[in-house]
Amino acid sequence: KDPAAARAWLARAPVTSAVKADPPPQTAFQVALTSEGLRALEVAPDLCAEFSAEFVAGMASDESRARRLGDVGASDPGTWRWGAGERLPHVAVLLYAVPGRLAAWEQEVEAQLAGGFVRIEQG
């Protein structure tokens, strides 16, 4: 939605770690970027080109790859709710929380993301 706002959020994202944490954190999240996401964030093209060809091409890049990965029939990329065609994600945000804390954590993070990202799927 807005590369500058997305980069700003990523720069201040509240990274958590459970390594030697006592008590462990109440909430945590993971962020995963696709190669399309890196390009949308306006990462330098020469840096994007340093990633593996498979990452740069994406999961649904060609029929041969789909066959090798077993993405055929009901699992064909053409049947995916997201991840192919017009619904290519740029980033996946995975949220984790202790029981009773997830809904509030989700609302908090979603509010932070609103300026830079558009949600394509929840699940």
Side-chain angles (χ1 to χ4, degrees), residues 60 71-85 87:
D71 291 335
V72 295
S75 296
D76 182 90
T79 67
W80 294 354
R81 291 188 338 202
W82 56 269
R87 295 184 49 92

Side-chain angles (χ1 to χ4, degrees), residues 13 15-17 30 53-54 61-62 68 71 74 81 92 97 103-104 106 110 112 119 122:
V15 176
T16 54
S17 174
Q30 295 177 345
E54 295 82 3
S61 59
D62 67 61
R68 290 190 314 272
D71 291 335
R81 291 188 338 202
E106 181 179 8
E110 193 162 345
Q112 294 171 9
R119 178 186 244 176
Q122 178 181 353

